Amino acid sequence: MSTTAEYVLTYFAFRGRAEHIRLLLEDCKIPYRQNIIPDEGESWTPVKARGLETGEIPFGQLPVLHEAGTSLYLAQSGAIARHLARRHHKYGQNELEASLADMLYDTVSDIRQVYRDFIFDENWQAKRESFVSNASNRFALLEKFMSSRNTPYLVGQDTTFADYHLLEVIHIIQRVQSDIIRPYSWLQSFCQKMESRPNIAEYLKSSRRFEKPVPLPHA
Amino acid sequence: MYQLVYFPIRGRAEHIRLFFEDLKIPYESKVITFEEWGKYKPEHSGTKELPFGQLPVLRDDQLYLSQSGAIARHLARKHDKYGKTEEEKALNDMLYDMTVDIHSIYLKHIYDPNRKDKMDTFVQEAKGKLELVEKFVQRRTKSQYLVCDEPTLADYYMYEVLDILAREVKTILESYPKLQAIHAQMKSRPNIAAYLKSERRFDKPVPVSDS
């Protein structure tokens, strides 16, 4: 199992579906470089077409992870996160933790989808209150899970790929409602713990970190 | 014995049932009707039995697992149907997630009360994805199924989603020979064929009367 392999992560110049992958790579100090596509229009169109042709962008979507020296071009952010997690000991310490990590990752993905539906809605201003309520209810269930699990991270003593995803989703929703996790002490301490992990702290302050979750003015 | 808790439809549980059936893994089916759900959900949401207020849930001994993708992966790991190499596992994840995307296109369409007027859009969106998967699978000329020479994680879900697409639009798989072949191969596996004819098999993909 090589830990010096260079990964190339191709994505756009915002956080989007790549950010939790970046958080994992950064936290674990996994060598990687970014192939940033400057925009979703003129820059992306030829890259997408070529990528579909060659198989380097297998489904015409980003992010894609390529491992230098192999023929693997992996699409789907969940598949990328899981592949890196498998490789770099971020899939839990045992079978139980692995399955819980899967459940939590997908649960967080559902919350991200709710965010997406809201933030891309033309009528988002009118939908803000019901979005915040929906998100809060979902965070309440995560809070309950965490308190019953009683572990420092979502599934155990160490971070898994699910933790990076949750951190990012909390962050993007905090941009809509800054006190969204105020009622939830486990989620609050989770956030603090994650943000103060040295490599994450450094990354969040760095120029590698894009500000916007999605390329919309109100995001 | 595993227990799978879900509604009396195919829905998000069907590919899990297909996995159990194909591999002759004993399982118990606990059916919650939509009427019962009205009470079951608020009573159990946030408890061990229903951690995130959603079905399906798999009970495996002391573990209660929600999210169909987590359940499918849990079973695939336990029963060694995730692929042999790291690459095969990664590709299984990628194709499984792609299948989720295609399923979402179907679900958005099937729940639309005006869906009969929007067939063209549905077909276009679905075919856009099918074409990409077909191309990908064609590139992997060595394997009989999506990733490996035997069905693994993604195949059970892809088979179900291809099946419900074709149920809605009979000819939709016509331009995709490799996907058609995988669909036909899965359907004719003896244990799956027997299951499809059995009374354990719910007819409807979703609780929509003409689905």
Side-chain angles (χ1 to χ4, degrees):
Chain A
M1 192 167 39
S2 171
T3 49
T4 58
E6 186 178 77
Y7 294 103
V8 181
L9 180 67
T10 302
Y11 197 62
F12 302 106
F14 49 84
R15 285 155 64 178
R17 292 184 187 283
E19 193 64 14
H20 68 284
I21 298 164
R22 293 171 178 137
L23 286 165
L24 189 157
L25 289 164
E26 292 277 346
D27 189 44
C28 301
K29 279 221 152 332
I30 298 165
Y32 77 107
R33 68 178 172 81
Q34 299 216 63
N35 178 22
I36 299 292
I37 311 298
D39 62 70
E40 292 180 280
E42 260 183 34
S43 307
W44 171 230
T45 309
V47 168
K48 175 178 173 172
R50 195 168 56 240
L52 280 168
E53 215 31 60
T54 60
E56 290 178 10
I57 303 180
F59 296 137
Q61 288 177 322
L62 300 180
V64 167
L65 186 81
H66 174 54
E67 194 184 329
T70 75
S71 59
L72 183 63
Y73 289 87
L74 199 56
Q76 293 285 359
S77 56
I80 295 168
R82 288 180 166 97
H83 179 66
L84 291 170
R86 241 172 244 126
R87 275 280 183 84
H88 299 276
H89 309 292
K90 292 295 170 186
Y91 220 128
Q93 304 303 308
N94 52 50
E95 171 59 57
L96 169 68
E97 288 190 3
S99 296
L100 293 177
D102 278 331
M103 174 172 75
L104 285 155
Y105 182 91
D106 284 359
T107 299
V108 172
S109 293
D110 284 355
I111 303 176
R112 191 175 186 279
Q113 188 57 45
V114 171
Y115 167 84
R116 262 192 73 90
D117 290 342
F118 158 73
I119 209 80
F120 281 102
D121 191 329
E122 273 177 0
N123 217 11
W124 64 272
Q125 272 145 322
K127 311 260 177 89
R128 197 181 172 285
E129 206 182 304
S130 81
F131 161 68
V132 169
S133 168
N134 187 349
S136 188
N137 292 335
R138 288 166 185 268
F139 282 134
L141 290 173
L142 278 168
E143 174 78 6
K144 234 183 151 181
F145 178 87
M146 285 200 84
S147 84
S148 70
R149 187 98 190 114
N150 195 16
T151 51
Y153 295 100
L154 278 171
V155 311
Q157 298 301 315
D158 192 13
T159 54
T160 62
F161 63 103
D163 292 284
Y164 303 102
H165 200 22
L166 177 59
L167 180 68
E168 172 61 5
V169 167
I170 289 174
H171 278 166
I172 65 183
I173 298 180
Q174 280 174 329
R175 290 171 71 92
V176 178
Q177 180 80 24
S178 60
D179 64 354
I180 188 83
I181 57 166
R182 172 123 53 87
Y184 309 121
S185 59
W186 279 85
L187 290 179
Q188 282 198 66
S189 85
F190 164 81
C191 247
Q192 277 156 23
K193 216 183 322 202
M194 289 292 284
E195 286 163 3
S196 61
R197 288 170 71 87
N199 298 333
I200 291 186
E202 193 268 318
Y203 168 66
L204 292 177
K205 288 196 309 244
S206 78
S207 59
R208 293 185 301 291
R209 215 276 184 128
F210 296 106
E211 192 228 329
K212 287 272 195 206
V214 291
L216 288 171
H218 57 281
Chain B
M1 185 178 290
Y2 293 114
Q3 186 190 63
L4 183 64
V5 187
Y6 197 59
F7 306 111
I9 54 167
R10 287 160 66 175
R12 294 186 185 281
E14 192 63 10
H15 65 286
I16 300 163
R17 294 178 181 126
L18 288 164
F19 186 92
F20 281 139
E21 294 279 346
D22 187 42
L23 301 173
K24 280 213 152 329
I25 297 167
Y27 72 107
E28 191 197 314
S29 197
K30 175 171 170 168
V31 174
I32 310 279
T33 66
F34 289 101
E35 296 72 34
E36 287 166 344
W37 182 239
K39 255 187 73 188
Y40 189 92
K41 180 173 176 165
E43 268 175 25
H44 291 91
S45 216
T47 69
K48 193 169 187 194
E49 289 80 20
L50 197 68
F52 295 106
Q54 292 176 324
L55 297 178
V57 164
L58 178 80
R59 199 197 69 213
D60 177 5
D61 193 25
Q62 297 295 320
L63 171 66
Y64 287 82
L65 206 56
S66 68
Q67 292 288 352
S68 54
I71 296 168
R73 288 177 168 98
H74 176 78
L75 294 170
R77 272 193 294 269
K78 281 188 82 163
H79 298 275
D80 197 25
K81 297 293 173 193
Y82 217 131
K84 301 290 178 217
T85 64
E86 272 185 347
E87 176 172 347
E88 287 177 354
K89 292 183 167 90
L91 293 176
N92 252 304
D93 279 333
M94 182 171 88
L95 284 156
Y96 186 95
D97 284 359
M98 183 52 153
T99 309
V100 171
D101 289 353
I102 303 173
H103 195 188
S104 297
I105 292 170
Y106 170 86
L107 290 171
K108 190 180 78 177
H109 166 77
I110 206 75
Y111 281 114
D112 187 335
N114 297 322
R115 80 179 205 261
K116 301 287 189 200
D117 300 329
K118 302 191 187 164
M119 291 303 251
D120 284 348
T121 311
F122 165 65
V123 170
Q124 199 178 41
E125 272 194 67
K127 282 189 157 190
K129 298 287 187 187
L130 291 174
E131 189 181 315
L132 293 171
V133 183
E134 177 74 16
K135 203 167 180 182
F136 174 83
V137 182
Q138 293 271 4
R139 238 181 243 123
R140 281 182 72 74
T141 46
K142 295 199 192 96
S143 63
Q144 249 207 309
Y145 288 91
L146 287 171
V147 179
C148 301
D149 280 323
E150 52 153 24
T152 49
L153 173 78
D155 291 292
Y156 295 93
Y157 198 10
M158 183 62 80
Y159 163 74
E160 170 63 7
V161 169
L162 293 176
D163 200 69
I164 63 182
L165 289 178
R167 188 183 163 107
E168 179 68 355
V169 177
K170 276 199 178 62
T171 57
I172 202 165
L173 301 183
E174 255 165 32
S175 324
Y176 314 112
K178 192 80 202 237
L179 290 176
Q180 271 190 306
I182 290 171
H183 180 265
Q185 278 160 213
M186 289 295 286
K187 193 168 177 160
S188 62
R189 288 171 70 78
N191 297 334
I192 291 185
Y195 164 65
L196 294 179
K197 289 198 303 249
S198 77
E199 86 289 355
R200 292 186 300 290
R201 215 285 183 117
F202 296 108
D203 174 58
K204 291 215 167 289
V206 290
V208 170
S209 57
D210 60 346
S211 67

